[in-house]
Amino acid sequence: MELSGGEILIQFLKDEGVEYVFGYPGGSVLHIYDALYGQDELKHILVRHEQAATHAADGYARATGKPGVVLVTSGPGATNAVTGIATAFMDSIPMVVITGQVPTPVIGSDAFQEVDSIGITRPCVKHNFLVKDINKLADTLKKAFYIASTGRPGPVVVDIPKDVTDPMVKIPYSYPKKVEMRSYNPVIKGHSIQIKRAADMILSAKRPMIYSGGGVVLSNASAELRAFTRLLGYPITQTLMGLGAYPASDKQNVGMLGMHGTYEANMAMHECDVLIAIGARFDDRVTGKLAEFCPTARIVHIDIDPASISKNVKVDVPIVGDVKLVLEDLIKLLQESSVKPDESAKTKWWGQIDEWRSKQCLEYDRQSDVIKPQFVIETLSKLTGSGDTYVTSDVGQHQMWAAQYFQFDEPRRWINSGGLGTMGFGLPSAMGVQLAYPDATVACVTGEGSIQMCIQEMSTCKQYGLPIKIINLNNRYLGMVRQWQEFSYEERYSMSYMEALPDFQKLTEAFGHVGMKIEKRSDVEGALKEALALKDRLVFLDFITDRKENVYPMIEAGKAHHEMRMAADRELS
Amino acid sequence: MSRHIISILMENESGALSRVAGLFSARGYNIESLTVAPTEDSSLSRMTIVTTGSEEIIEQIKKQLNKLIDVVKLIDLTEAGHIERELALVKLRANNAIDRDELKRLADIFRGHIVDVTPESYVVELTGTGDKIDGFLEALGDRSVIEVVRSGSSGIGRGDRSLDL
Ligand SMILES: Cc1cc2nc3c(=O)[nH]c(=O)nc-3n(C[C@H](O)[C@H](O)[C@H](O)COP(=O)(O)OP(=O)(O)OC[C@H]3O[C@@H](n4cnc5c(N)ncnc54)[C@H](O)[C@@H]3O)c2cc1C
Ligand SMILES: Cc1ncc(C[n+]2csc(CCOP(=O)(O)OP(=O)(O)O)c2C)c(N)n1
Ligand SMILES: [Mg+2]
């Protein structure tokens, strides 16, 4: 089969099993868009801004586990995509981004719409390639998908100069089935001696704690995590990125840890004697003050990336490998072992944890007539159940409330930007999820600040009929910023207030969707029910919430796990 | 804080050097010198990086370097027997007999060679460890030095300690 570069790209994507490409055309990718024309096997989703293309591909990847694919033009197309690439990079999301480039003969001459895409994206990709020779195109694309989706996943950029996709230049093409890379061979099987040491340490614990993260989701190891945790009967806390890998509703789950984690999770971190970190990276939002992090614990750490191990916190038993395989091995050892967890120590430990739990750190005023943001999320959770509902989120207070009050019982249902914290992520990522699962309920929890960063995507939703439910927790503040200003800047609310908000209901209607405005607590449930019943329509629910509500509990900057700040009314109890 | 010489075999791809340089600047690691050239296998280039840091930082540097897709293999030469060499070319003011004699003697002591002579100047070529070159420059003082070019260190393991595929 003789194909041009543009045709090779399209044919390759089909052969690779790619369902959707999220993109936006422009000069240097016109040959590629021409090759895309008149076929419908590979579906192209035309976004309204390239940032949204990357977030949509990212949402698709998070929900399905398959790499998201993006196609953008050179120059501004590529720079617009950078935020989404960096977002995926920070959360280790598999993605392949194809950027057009000016023709090879003019690279470096400040040609029209030329930017050094390789240079600009280098610090925020797992790897990137500039393909200067059509003969290397197919192999390079294969490598890109391989690198993006194996080991610690991440985005890979493939920059293709326009002349490489010239329709007049054709070469024989066959799908490269295999990749050989001498320089890239991620370790996935854990070292057996380390696993044995870990098992011994785990069984010797008196006050154990399982701390699991996004790596469990990425590894599709939710079943293994559940088996491991239940076998031991130990408490488990999950990071913001790990939510759902272990069911929120299970009694061994003590909730999220870290800055806005639960009191019981953070106290248990502080007091534990053996910490079992699984696919988590000891982020500063999680550890709090490093010098006082888990002061009495010996630490086991399972991670596929050696560079994650002992980066921020020195660990005692490192295991490099894929969570799924390592947990399988560990479970086997634990089952075979004649030593069993110390039951009396465990009972005592759970007694202590239940005492912390009894503080009910997530309680809030359920009677208030003003809508409490927590109430909206709680009601959403109650109405949808977590099974087949996907929740994407933007960044801010609403994100934390979604994490705290929605019960995620399955992995890949909670989709948010944790590492980069990218406002604007919520709506476009929901598009990717909805495309992947057309029949599922997809809710985007957002704030009036964040939603405006990618609000143009309501137009894309119209074009492709994506019935997303946008839950806008409208507090008329950049609430997360306002909260910090209240706590740390003596209530000097510098620029955390937007004066001229749009009428979201009308705006939504202008895009061709259904808009609702909800101002009373008693209307919350009814409105949500009504919106959820509109199965084939996008509904924007503008909830006018309590302006000054804060996210509690909280570990303020520089504080340790046992120094949590509780909501004022909680402090008293 | 200790000084480490890290040797890397990398795919000889354009941009490989900037991946390493970018890693060091983005993560704020110290970099004393960096040298790179192709090897006998033209698909590979070899890089020598001299860096300083605490043991934890050096460990992170090695892990982060290994994580770069283009890095094929890496060793920390300073962990065992190794040879370190740096080349320096030093242009010296040598316009009178007394200076010329003394500079010649000093170059001999450090086993340098005078590779260029004019009525006004000498160019001394010197190889050795970074320390030795520092020593030579110190001995000269700044009175006679016009220009110094240093290559940065290269290194190789002793005996059967090799960095190859
Ligand atoms: C406003 C805001 C507030 C936040 N507050 C909190 C908070 O209170 N609590 C909190 O937890 N987070 C919080 N975060 C998120 C935080 O910034 C980090 O993104 C998050 O804690 C990182 O989660 P993680 O450790 O699970 O790592 P991830 O970023 O999910 O990284 C996954 C880890 O697993 C490894 N891994 C990947 N694949 C595999 C595999 N197959 N096998 C083994 N290992 C693998 C990776 O190498 C990596 O080390 C907040 C973010 C924002 C924006
Ligand atoms: C692109 C981007 N710019 C700035 C920030 C800093 N930031 C974090 S939360 C936040 C406020 C978000 O406001 P809103 O979307 O209304 O959510 P709320 O906190 O009020 O729930 C800001 C500005 C960010 N995370 N991302
Ligand atoms: Mg807000």
Side-chain angles (χ1 to χ4, degrees):
Chain A
M1 196 168 25
E2 296 250 312
L3 298 179
S4 70
E7 289 163 344
I8 289 175
L9 172 61
I10 301 304
Q11 189 55 45
F12 173 87
L13 294 177
K14 290 179 188 170
D15 292 344
E16 185 68 25
V18 173
E19 239 181 321
Y20 289 106
V21 178
F22 299 89
Y24 207 92
S28 66
V29 287
L30 284 180
H31 296 328
I32 300 173
Y33 273 88
D34 196 47
L36 190 72
Y37 190 76
Q39 58 82 47
D40 53 12
E41 201 184 328
L42 180 66
K43 296 188 228 32
H44 180 281
I45 302 299
L46 178 67
V47 294
R48 302 300 186 258
H49 185 295
E50 288 87 350
Q51 177 184 353
T54 49
H55 291 332
D58 181 326
Y60 175 89
R62 291 181 203 236
T64 62
K66 294 190 273 184
V69 181
V70 177
L71 171 59
V72 296
T73 193
S74 66
T79 53
N80 271 352
V82 169
T83 300
I85 296 171
T87 302
F89 180 66
M90 287 295 276
D91 291 341
S92 307
I93 304 304
M95 185 190 282
V96 173
V97 181
I98 293 143
T99 52
Q101 185 52 278
V102 300
T104 39
V106 298
I107 287 181
S109 69
D110 303 319
F112 176 63
Q113 294 197 324
E114 178 179 8
V115 293
D116 175 10
S117 298
I118 295 295
I120 286 177
T121 59
R122 188 182 302 118
C124 59
V125 292
K126 184 168 172 188
H127 197 59
N128 56 22
F129 295 98
L130 173 63
V131 187
K132 284 184 168 167
D133 176 358
I134 182 175
N135 293 297
K136 292 194 175 151
L137 183 57
D139 278 343
T140 306
L141 287 166
K142 185 68 198 174
K143 279 186 192 168
F145 277 83
Y146 174 62
I147 293 170
S149 53
T150 53
R152 179 178 184 167
V156 176
V157 166
V158 183
D159 199 25
I160 310 179
K162 188 167 185 180
D163 52 324
V164 173
T165 56
D166 184 347
M168 307 306 286
V169 182
K170 299 201 179 212
I171 61 160
Y173 163 81
S174 65
Y175 174 66
K177 289 203 177 60
K178 276 189 64 180
V179 219
E180 291 277 338
M181 291 186 71
R182 61 181 172 187
S183 64
Y184 175 70
N185 297 294
V187 174
I188 56 167
K189 186 100 180 105
H191 196 289
S192 60
I193 295 175
Q194 290 298 86
I195 295 178
K196 176 78 179 72
R197 284 182 59 206
D200 292 346
M201 189 178 283
I202 290 167
L203 289 169
S204 74
K206 304 278 184 240
R207 299 183 312 280
M209 185 70 176
I210 299 169
Y211 148 49
S212 96
V216 179
V217 178
L218 293 165
S219 166
N220 294 316
S222 183
E224 290 74 9
L225 178 72
R226 290 166 195 218
F228 173 80
T229 307
R230 286 174 182 152
L231 181 66
L232 290 163
Y234 290 176
I236 178 170
T237 180
Q238 303 178 80
T239 68
L240 183 72
M241 301 314 291
L243 297 180
Y246 194 86
S249 53
D250 187 277
K251 61 183 189 316
Q252 277 172 258
N253 174 49
V254 299
M256 186 169 82
L257 80 166
M259 183 172 276
H260 291 299
T262 64
Y263 180 68
E264 51 271 30
N266 285 328
M267 287 305 290
M269 287 294 285
H270 192 72
E271 301 274 317
C272 70
D273 72 341
V274 171
L275 181 69
I276 309 149
I278 310 176
R281 60 181 173 82
F282 297 81
D283 183 82
D284 52 74
R285 301 264 133 158
V286 162
T287 58
K289 187 177 180 184
L290 272 178
E292 286 177 49
F293 176 77
C294 296
T296 52
R298 289 170 297 158
I299 305 176
V300 174
H301 187 189
I302 305 167
D303 203 295
I304 204 161
D305 179 3
S308 274
I309 293 177
S310 292
K311 181 174 70 174
N312 301 334
V313 171
K314 196 153 170 46
V315 303
D316 303 278
V317 183
I319 303 172
V320 176
D322 182 40
V323 166
K324 197 182 184 78
L325 301 180
V326 174
L327 282 183
E328 275 172 9
D329 290 350
L330 257 177
I331 291 169
K332 224 189 308 90
L333 274 186
L334 294 173
Q335 280 168 337
E336 286 163 1
S337 169
S338 55
V339 184
K340 296 291 163 202
D342 180 339
E343 287 302 322
S344 75
K346 222 159 73 181
T347 309
K348 206 169 143 209
W349 181 225
W350 273 113
Q352 171 66 75
I353 290 172
D354 286 339
E355 204 180 308
W356 289 323
R357 255 184 187 160
S358 68
K359 274 227 172 196
Q360 299 195 299
C361 66
L362 294 177
E363 271 308 302
Y364 66 93
D365 178 7
R366 286 191 173 74
Q367 304 314 317
S368 116
D369 212 28
V370 188
I371 300 173
K372 289 284 182 182
Q374 301 96 321
F375 182 71
V376 177
I377 303 295
E378 220 168 52
T379 310
L380 177 71
S381 184
K382 187 182 82 183
L383 291 178
T384 58
S386 62
D388 258 331
T389 300
Y390 293 77
V391 177
T392 74
S393 157
D394 265 302
V395 172
Q397 293 183 313
H398 59 272
Q399 176 188 25
M400 294 297 107
W401 287 316
Q404 292 174 326
Y405 293 90
F406 197 97
Q407 296 249 318
F408 293 101
D409 283 342
E410 296 297 329
R412 300 195 180 279
R413 299 303 196 277
W414 164 236
I415 286 162
N416 81 133
S417 164
L420 199 67
T422 308
M423 289 170 71
F425 177 81
L427 177 57
S429 63
M431 302 190 315
V433 179
Q434 189 78 78
L435 284 160
Y437 300 111
D439 299 327
T441 299
V442 180
C444 161
V445 174
T446 185
E448 80 296 337
S450 294
I451 192 67
Q452 292 188 73
M453 287 214 176
C454 275
I455 200 156
Q456 75 287 345
E457 295 308 316
M458 282 212 276
S459 171
T460 311
C461 293
K462 184 69 192 168
Q463 182 169 346
Y464 298 97
L466 305 178
I468 295 162
K469 305 298 176 276
I470 300 176
I471 314 290
N472 190 35
L473 300 181
N474 188 345
N475 52 8
R476 286 87 71 217
Y477 271 119
L478 299 175
M480 183 58 87
V481 173
R482 191 205 55 75
Q483 177 169 347
W484 280 63
Q485 289 171 335
E486 178 185 331
F487 290 179
S488 311
Y489 296 89
E490 297 170 321
E491 303 187 29
R492 289 188 296 279
Y493 297 135
S494 178
M495 297 298 144
S496 52
Y497 169 65
M498 279 177 185
E499 200 119 328
L501 288 175
D503 178 333
F504 286 110
Q505 198 175 350
K506 281 195 190 140
L507 184 62
T508 307
E509 284 164 8
F511 277 110
H513 303 296
V514 181
M516 291 161 86
K517 184 170 180 176
I518 307 96
E519 297 180 87
K520 288 208 308 282
R521 181 184 53 107
S522 50
D523 293 338
V524 170
E525 183 161 342
L528 279 169
K529 275 187 176 154
E530 193 185 329
L532 290 167
L534 291 172
K535 290 269 176 223
D536 54 357
R537 298 298 300 275
L538 181 151
V539 185
F540 189 116
L541 297 109
D542 190 18
F543 290 100
I544 308 304
T545 60
D546 186 350
R547 306 197 68 178
K548 293 258 176 127
E549 187 56 272
N550 286 325
V551 183
Y552 292 112
M554 178 177 186
I555 303 175
E556 287 175 79
K559 294 267 170 71
H561 280 149
H562 63 299
E563 301 172 300
M564 288 207 94
R565 174 169 180 163
M566 309 286 260
D569 50 346
R570 291 288 85 205
E571 216 91 61
L572 305 172
S573 63
Chain B
M1 289 286 274
S2 59
R3 178 172 181 271
H4 286 250
I5 305 173
I6 297 167
S7 255
I8 315 175
L9 281 180
M10 293 187 84
E11 296 291 353
N12 194 2
E13 299 278 347
S14 73
L17 173 62
S18 48
R19 289 182 207 280
V20 174
L23 173 72
F24 274 74
S25 62
R27 294 190 181 266
Y29 300 143
N30 294 319
I31 190 154
E32 194 175 288
S33 72
L34 184 159
T35 67
V36 59
T39 63
E40 73 285 4
D41 173 349
S42 64
S43 70
L44 289 171
S45 47
R46 178 158 174 156
M47 191 178 283
T48 312
I49 300 168
V50 181
T51 179
T52 51
S54 62
E55 281 315 304
E56 291 79 48
I57 296 281
I58 298 292
E59 205 47 48
Q60 260 301 307
I61 290 177
K62 287 189 261 183
K63 286 173 172 177
Q64 292 292 348
L65 283 168
N66 258 320
K67 199 168 147 178
L68 293 176
I69 306 290
D70 284 338
V71 170
V72 185
K73 227 172 165 184
L74 172 157
I75 59 169
D76 183 347
L77 289 173
T78 19
E79 272 173 359
H82 67 280
I83 293 156
E84 176 194 347
R85 287 293 179 272
E86 182 174 2
L87 168 72
L89 295 171
V90 185
K91 188 177 286 179
L92 300 168
R93 195 170 295 108
N95 50 11
N96 62 68
I98 300 171
D99 279 359
R100 286 174 96 90
D101 276 358
E102 194 187 328
L103 293 172
K104 170 87 175 63
R105 215 166 29 245
L106 213 52
D108 285 344
I109 292 171
F110 281 86
R111 298 192 199 177
H113 305 284
I114 296 175
V115 293
D116 181 61
V117 179
T118 71
E120 297 296 316
S121 68
Y122 281 162
V123 172
V124 178
E125 172 195 311
L126 186 69
T127 55
T129 62
D131 273 354
K132 176 178 160 185
I133 292 167
D134 289 346
F136 178 59
L137 293 174
E138 235 164 76
L140 285 169
D142 24 325
R143 62 195 159 101
S144 45
V145 176
I146 299 170
E147 195 179 345
V148 181
V149 198
R150 297 176 67 153
S151 64
S153 293
S154 295
I156 197 164
R158 284 187 188 274
D160 53 12
R161 212 168 158 250
S162 307
L163 177 64
D164 49 18
L165 295 188

